[in-house]
Amino acid sequence: MDGLTEAKLKTLAGARSFERGVGYLAAVSGIEVGEDRIRASVRGTERYTVELVLGGRAGPAGECDCPYGQEGNFCKHLVALGLAVIARQDDLPHLRKTARERKKDLDAWLSSLSAGELLALVRDEIAVDRNVRRRLESRAAGARGDLAAIRSHLHELLDTGPFARYGYVEYADARAYAEQAGQAVSVIRSLTGPDRVADAVVLAREAIELLAGVVESVDDSDGWLVGIGSDLADAHRDACRAARPDPEELAHWLITHTLDDAADLTGIDPLDYEDLLGAQGMSALRRRAVEAWEANRTGWAEKHLMQRLAKAGRDIDTVIAVHAADLAPNGHTHLVIARELETAGRPDEALEWAERGIRDSENLAEVDTALVDHLCDRYTQADRTADAVTLRRDHFTARRTLLTYRQLRAAAHLTDSWPTEREGALSLLRTAAERKGHDDSRPLVDALLDDKDTAAAWQAATEFGAHDSQWLTLADQSRTTRPADALAVYRRLIEPLLHQTGNDVYEQLTSLLLSMRECHRNLNTPDDFTTYATALRATQKRKRNLMRLMDEHGL
């Protein structure tokens, strides 16, 4: 059995796919045993065709037309067929022998038929199998050199009409359409003669255009059409290698295609054609790319193409020019340019662009924080720590958040200027809190808490107000030094929770009660807590999960 075992299946598929494949064993049907291959159908989301190859040098392998299998993976459907084959291990030698005999008998019978009988047989097959008919029609058109007939056939293969309901190919019909459309690749690849490869180039491009034209009218959730687009791209590239089209004409088509929506379908990369384009074609490619970009400097596809071509040619100045033509107002593009210049070994210009990003920003509160971080890092590395502090101060002044406060503190510590900077920063936060009240007091309280200045934070919260989360932090940090004040906070935070239900609420309540108990202990009033907890139990006794949590914590 060529070494097929459950262990080998698990190695091929991985533990997860193997376990899932076990559940599909009953879905295997129509097993056909050949000399080296075993085919079957497996019913999954839909019916899939599965084939195991047992006679290869590298050991067992397989193919499945499910989406996961089409990516080259040994899927759960292949596992299911493999398990079915293992279960029929004793029958395999006989079944293979029978398959060889059938093949031998078929060859002998076909060889015995006259030309007329063979022709009649082919005509019968054409009458009942349209796929056979189409393949033979393509061969016939190719043999005649009938380009018009081949083109007509391609249009027929890529026509969604027979599969579309109300002008749209729904998910249930998408696979059938894809199976038909996929034959277009075989049609193009059949044009292999030296006098036909130029036609193959033309027809591949037409097929790509036709397929791109129907994508929006097909539910391609499983990615069938993307796979066909990729196959058409491969056929086009191979045809170009054989036909060696005019480099300038090829460059023009590549640029046009890359900037078209069809590029997402095929994934064609102009740089993959560099060996075919040569110096003349690459020059034309760059020239046309520049023309397209100059006509639409803000177009994503145009910019991306220009950047790739410039990087491939190590033309950093062109890369910079492309970025500079569409600068983001928040300084992000300046940062991208600075990094490109640093990579190119031009640090002075990189620093200039980073600084320009700060200068050009209309509002420092909206500037890309990564640009500020980058520039401060460069200032520090260049021993310009005072400039780093200045930038951090300006950024904090514009944004006034806990993060910008921390960053200013870290920078100021390097210059031993934090006491002065802190005084100015806190003054700014106090002024904002005085003007706008509760909502603008949060940064002030957060900053004081982050400085571990609990007394000042408590004073600010009392004077300007604070959010409950800040009050809780203040209470947690003050249970020992000011237990009475902390106790008042806990009792206030508990009150609204008593009217709510849910395990999260009960856990919060329990945590607050534990903190209250500690405060009473610090105040030497444990009996007061016992009285409070007993009263709370009486009013909350229907909340069994809360009672359980309180019991677990001895409350």
Side-chain angles (χ1 to χ4, degrees):
M1 201 172 61
D2 295 312
L4 187 64
T5 62
E6 289 190 11
K8 190 157 289 186
L9 285 175
K10 185 175 290 189
T11 299
L12 289 167
R16 186 180 179 196
S17 287
F18 179 83
E19 293 302 326
R20 296 178 71 186
V22 172
Y24 277 81
L25 183 56
V28 179
S29 63
I31 296 178
E32 298 177 6
V33 178
E35 289 186 76
D36 299 315
R37 297 172 181 268
I38 301 175
R39 292 170 60 91
S41 293
V42 180
R43 171 63 69 179
T45 307
E46 52 186 278
R47 187 169 292 281
Y48 297 113
T49 299
V50 185
E51 184 174 84
L52 272 176
V53 181
L54 301 179
R57 291 182 179 178
E63 295 179 357
C64 178
D65 58 4
C66 73
Y68 187 62
Q70 285 203 323
E71 293 175 0
N73 300 298
F74 200 93
C75 65
K76 60 190 177 185
H77 309 112
L78 281 164
V79 171
L81 176 55
L83 292 172
V85 170
I86 292 172
R88 301 179 65 174
Q89 175 178 358
D90 294 339
D91 295 334
L92 277 182
H94 171 69
L95 293 172
R96 283 184 167 181
K97 180 181 178 182
T98 302
R100 286 193 296 270
E101 290 174 350
R102 284 200 306 264
K103 180 181 178 182
K104 183 178 179 181
D105 290 344
L106 179 59
D107 287 342
W109 177 65
L110 289 172
S111 298
S112 69
L113 296 177
S114 65
E117 289 171 326
L118 281 171
L119 183 58
L121 178 63
V122 171
R123 285 172 174 163
D124 288 343
E125 290 300 313
I126 288 174
V128 298
D129 191 327
R130 67 177 183 177
N131 288 332
V132 172
R133 174 177 58 80
R134 283 173 172 155
R135 284 196 294 270
L136 292 177
E137 285 174 346
S138 297
R139 286 194 173 191
R144 296 195 310 272
D146 190 343
L147 185 61
I150 298 174
R151 178 176 284 115
S152 175
H153 186 43
L154 281 176
H155 279 260
E156 182 183 343
L157 289 173
L158 294 166
D159 180 19
T160 59
F163 303 89
R165 302 176 186 179
Y166 311 108
Y168 186 77
V169 181
E170 298 178 351
Y171 178 78
D173 301 308
R175 182 179 179 186
Y177 170 71
E179 288 177 349
Q180 174 179 297
Q183 295 178 37
V185 180
S186 299
V187 170
I188 293 165
R189 288 197 176 280
S190 68
L191 302 174
T192 57
D195 57 339
R196 307 311 312 277
V197 288
D199 291 339
V201 173
V202 173
L203 292 174
R205 296 176 184 178
E206 291 182 12
I208 288 170
E209 185 176 343
L210 288 170
L211 188 65
V214 303
V215 164
E216 296 300 323
S217 60
V218 179
D219 183 348
D220 192 33
S221 300
D222 289 335
W224 300 106
L225 302 192
V226 174
I228 296 170
S230 177
D231 291 342
L232 285 172
D234 290 341
H236 174 264
R237 189 161 48 249
D238 291 344
C240 286
R241 287 202 168 92
R244 293 285 169 174
D246 176 72
E248 295 221 10
E249 185 279 330
L250 177 58
H252 173 69
W253 183 86
L254 287 169
I255 292 294
T256 303
H257 175 77
T258 303
L259 299 180
D260 187 76
D261 291 340
D264 292 334
L265 185 67
T266 63
I268 286 178
D269 183 349
L271 291 177
D272 288 343
Y273 289 76
E274 187 169 1
D275 59 325
L276 298 173
L277 290 166
Q280 177 186 355
M282 287 301 294
S283 175
L285 192 73
R286 293 189 179 93
R287 183 176 67 253
R288 292 187 181 275
V290 170
E291 292 171 355
W293 172 65
E294 289 179 342
N296 183 21
R297 293 191 176 221
T298 60
W300 182 90
E302 288 80 359
K303 289 195 296 182
H304 182 67
L305 176 61
M306 277 293 294
Q307 290 164 14
R308 291 208 69 239
L309 290 174
K311 285 186 178 182
R314 296 182 177 84
D315 185 357
I316 185 64
D317 290 318
T318 298
V319 174
I320 301 309
V322 173
H323 286 303
D326 185 29
L327 294 171
N330 70 346
H332 174 73
T333 319
H334 298 77
L335 175 59
V336 172
I337 292 173
R339 287 171 173 167
E340 291 282 2
L341 286 165
E342 282 192 351
T343 302
R346 294 157 63 173
D348 292 342
E349 294 173 73
L351 183 64
E352 183 180 339
W353 268 101
E355 291 177 329
R356 176 179 164 185
I358 299 296
R359 291 196 304 270
D360 290 353
S361 176
E362 295 180 1
N363 185 354
L364 198 55
E366 297 178 1
V367 75
D368 187 346
T369 56
L371 174 60
V372 177
D373 294 343
H374 174 89
L375 193 50
C376 286
D377 286 344
R378 298 306 176 272
Y379 283 153
T380 302
Q381 291 168 9
D383 201 23
R384 294 174 57 182
T385 49
D387 290 333
V389 172
T390 299
L391 179 54
R392 289 298 189 190
R393 183 195 311 128
D394 293 343
H395 195 216
F396 167 77
T397 301
R399 300 197 69 167
R400 296 195 303 276
T401 66
L402 178 58
L403 175 61
T404 56
Y405 182 82
R406 287 172 172 169
Q407 291 170 328
L408 172 59
R409 182 175 62 201
H413 275 311
L414 296 177
T415 59
D416 297 324
S417 61
W418 178 231
T420 302
E421 293 295 340
R422 180 176 188 264
E423 183 179 349
L426 292 177
S427 176
L428 191 65
L429 293 176
R430 284 194 187 93
T431 299
E434 289 170 353
R435 288 177 179 173
K436 297 187 178 180
H438 184 267
D439 286 340
D440 266 46
S441 67
R442 185 162 191 163
L444 173 61
V445 176
D446 280 341
L448 291 168
L449 284 171
D450 204 58
D451 283 340
K452 303 295 187 291
D453 193 346
T454 307
W458 195 289
Q459 182 180 344
T462 302
E463 185 176 353
F464 303 114
H467 287 254
D468 284 347
S469 61
Q470 293 175 314
W471 277 116
L472 180 58
T473 301
L474 282 166
D476 288 343
Q477 293 182 5
S478 307
R479 286 198 294 258
T480 302
T481 57
R482 47 198 311 169
D485 292 333
L487 179 61
V489 172
Y490 293 135
R491 292 195 67 158
R492 180 180 65 79
L493 294 177
I494 280 177
E495 285 305 315
L497 297 178
L498 296 176
H499 306 290
Q500 301 175 37
T501 59
N503 289 335
D504 289 344
V505 172
Y506 301 154
E507 288 176 2
Q508 292 179 55
L509 265 170
T510 302
S511 177
L512 290 169
L513 287 168
L514 289 169
S515 297
M516 282 185 65
R517 184 171 66 183
E518 184 178 342
C519 288
H520 277 289
R521 286 173 178 170
N522 291 330
L523 290 166
N524 293 317
T525 56
D527 291 342
D528 289 350
F529 177 75
T530 301
T531 301
Y532 178 86
T534 301
L536 186 146
R537 277 179 170 277
T539 60
Q540 305 290 314
K541 62 184 178 181
R542 292 182 180 274
K543 299 175 180 177
R544 288 179 293 179
N545 284 350
L546 174 59
M547 296 298 102
R548 177 181 56 78
L549 281 173
M550 291 180 68
D551 289 340
E552 288 177 359
H553 291 87
L555 295 170

